[in-house]
């Protein structure tokens, strides 16, 4: 029996991964959660290294997927200690305990480890993060590599997928402003949307397939280690995304492009990730954005 632990199973990506892995009949799945408890999950604070070690010693998994993190750039900028605790120290603690058990560790990272000045970025490109989030995730990558030889970093860009609230993804968080911009009232102003930073929205259900395929290779005795990357292949600014969302929701939105960066926390211009290493292994799936976002809205319809 192949046993997999998914840490952060109740999050945006964690839920998608669990949904994919529960379909594997010969695998045993253990889910951990913290702030958002779910039925059948184990509560685990990954900031507690001793609790992590005890949990992994008790469960004795063959593989661990680390989908828990502090992924909000503004929060990381304002609370670097929290970012380090979740994105660096917790990864080190998990990797250390996994090494004692001989378990393979897959840790999720981000395109924000790059400065966005020279895309596309191969998995062996030199990182150069420009904000606290990117720096913390890069340190987490290094913590994994320094702690275990049986580890893999999976870098991902902007994620979207089935949600529990609109704010859970930076993609769907645009919906309330889009809807508000269409209301026929003299006080309503157009929604201003960033048209500077280029992103590659990536569907969590596609990432879940990538994770499952990586786990299958480990289960067959051919673990992928080092750094790999996966990304959607449709470049969009936030303004582009908002237009696609408005079309999917059939909202006649008033959208104004903002062509210069205005975020308080610096964001890179274009961190397009090269997915060639995984593609060469026959790993990956890409659902067109318009198809995927309609699937999301079917599950969580707008009732504005």
């Amino acid at each position: 029996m192949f046993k997999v632990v998914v840490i952060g199973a109740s999050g945006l990506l964690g839920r998608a991964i669990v949904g994919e892995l529960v379909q594997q009949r010969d695998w045993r799945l253990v889910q951990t959660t913290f702030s958002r408890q779910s039925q059948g999950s184990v509560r685990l604070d990954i900031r507690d290294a001793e609790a992590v070690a005890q949990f992994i010693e008790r469960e004795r998994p063959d593989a661990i997927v680390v989908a828990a993190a502090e992924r909000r750039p503004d929060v990381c900028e304002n609370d670097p200690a929290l970012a380090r605790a979740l994105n660096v120290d917790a990864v080190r603690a998990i990797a250390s305990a996994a090494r004692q058990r001989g378990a393979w560790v897959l840790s999720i990272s981000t395109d924000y480890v790059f400065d966005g000045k020279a895309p596309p970025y191969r998995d062996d490109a030199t990182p150069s993060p420009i904000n606290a989030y990117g720096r913390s995730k890069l340190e987490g990558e290094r913590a994994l590599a320094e702690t275990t030889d049986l580890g893999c970093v999976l870098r991902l860009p902007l994620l979207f997928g089935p949600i529990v609230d609109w704010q859970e993804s930076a993609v769907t968080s645009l919906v309330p402003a889009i809807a508000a911009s269409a209301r026929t009232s003299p006080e309503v102003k157009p929604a201003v949307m960033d048209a500077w930073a280029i992103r590659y929205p990536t569907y969590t259900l596609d990432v879940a397939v990538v994770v499952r395929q990586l786990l299958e290779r480990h289960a067959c005795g051919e673990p992928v280690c080092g750094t790999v990357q996966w990304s959607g292949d449709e470049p969009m600014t936030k303004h582009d995304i908002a237009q696609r969302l408005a079309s999917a929701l059939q909202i006649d939105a008033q959208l104004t492009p903002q062509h210069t960066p205005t975020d308080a926390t610096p964001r890179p211009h274009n961190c397009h990730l090269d997915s060639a290493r995984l593609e060469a292994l026959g790993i990956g799936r890409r659902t067109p954005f318009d198809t995927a976002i309609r699937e999301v809205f079917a599950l969580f319809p707008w009732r504005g």
Side-chain angles (χ1 to χ4, degrees):
M1 181 69 70
F2 185 66
K3 189 174 186 180
V4 181
V5 164
V6 177
I7 293 177
S10 62
L12 178 71
L13 179 57
R15 294 194 308 273
I17 293 171
V18 167
E20 180 71 23
L21 299 188
V22 293
Q23 301 177 50
Q24 307 305 303
R25 289 188 296 175
D26 296 330
W27 293 10
R28 184 179 172 199
L29 184 63
V30 179
Q31 309 171 40
T32 85
T33 55
F34 180 63
S35 59
R36 187 189 293 145
Q37 286 291 101
S38 60
Q39 187 174 8
S41 69
V42 177
R43 190 175 188 275
L44 179 66
D45 184 350
I46 58 173
R47 296 169 297 181
D48 184 339
E50 184 175 348
V52 166
Q54 291 174 350
F55 167 76
I56 292 175
E57 175 63 26
R58 182 177 70 249
E59 294 296 339
R60 299 173 178 266
D62 298 291
I64 302 169
V65 179
V66 186
E70 179 47 72
R71 59 181 177 81
R72 297 167 294 179
D74 293 338
V75 171
C76 292
E77 207 72 25
N78 295 320
D79 194 348
L82 174 64
R84 181 172 186 84
L86 288 172
N87 297 347
V88 185
D89 298 338
V91 173
R92 193 185 306 277
I94 293 165
S96 178
R99 186 188 65 225
Q100 303 300 318
R101 299 296 329 152
W104 180 74
V105 181
L106 179 66
S107 183
I108 305 301
S109 190
T110 175
D111 57 345
Y112 272 28
V113 299
F114 298 113
D115 60 16
K117 296 179 181 179
Y121 291 94
R122 289 165 42 105
D123 55 88
D124 59 357
T126 302
S128 181
I130 63 172
N131 58 34
Y133 171 58
R135 288 190 292 271
S136 70
K137 294 300 285 184
L138 178 58
E139 287 186 56
E141 292 185 8
R142 291 170 174 164
L144 181 70
E146 291 166 359
T147 308
T148 180
D149 294 328
L150 200 57
C152 181
V153 166
L154 172 58
R155 291 183 184 139
L156 302 170
L158 174 67
L159 296 178
F160 73 100
I163 53 173
V164 296
D165 62 64
W166 294 111
Q167 299 303 317
E168 196 174 23
S169 163
V171 169
T172 54
S173 68
L174 304 178
V175 169
I178 292 168
S181 77
R183 293 171 185 160
T184 54
S185 166
E187 294 81 20
V188 171
K189 297 180 180 180
V192 178
M193 297 287 171
D194 180 84
W196 176 79
I198 299 171
R199 309 300 298 274
Y200 288 78
T202 300
Y203 196 28
T204 54
L205 272 61
D206 291 342
V207 176
V209 169
V210 170
V211 171
R212 188 253 301 161
Q213 291 172 323
L214 285 166
L215 286 163
E216 286 174 340
R217 290 187 70 92
H218 176 51
C220 293
E222 300 176 350
V224 176
C225 296
T227 301
V228 295
Q229 302 178 154
W230 188 253
S231 173
D233 58 1
E234 300 174 76
M236 301 181 209
T237 65
K238 190 177 287 188
H239 183 260
D240 296 329
I241 293 170
Q243 290 179 313
R244 305 276 277 269
L245 298 180
S247 176
L249 292 168
Q250 298 183 313
I251 293 174
D252 185 18
Q254 304 175 67
L255 304 173
T256 299
Q258 171 66 46
H259 294 288
T260 54
T262 59
D263 291 300
T265 300
R267 261 85 165 168
H269 174 59
N270 182 350
C271 290
H272 186 206
L273 298 174
D274 183 314
S275 307
R277 185 181 177 197
L278 288 179
E279 289 168 343
L281 294 171
I283 290 175
R285 187 186 79 176
R286 289 187 177 95
T287 303
F289 180 84
D290 291 339
T291 300
I293 202 63
R294 282 173 168 81
E295 291 178 1
V296 172
F297 290 152
L299 295 170
F300 199 86
W302 173 250
R303 302 182 181 88

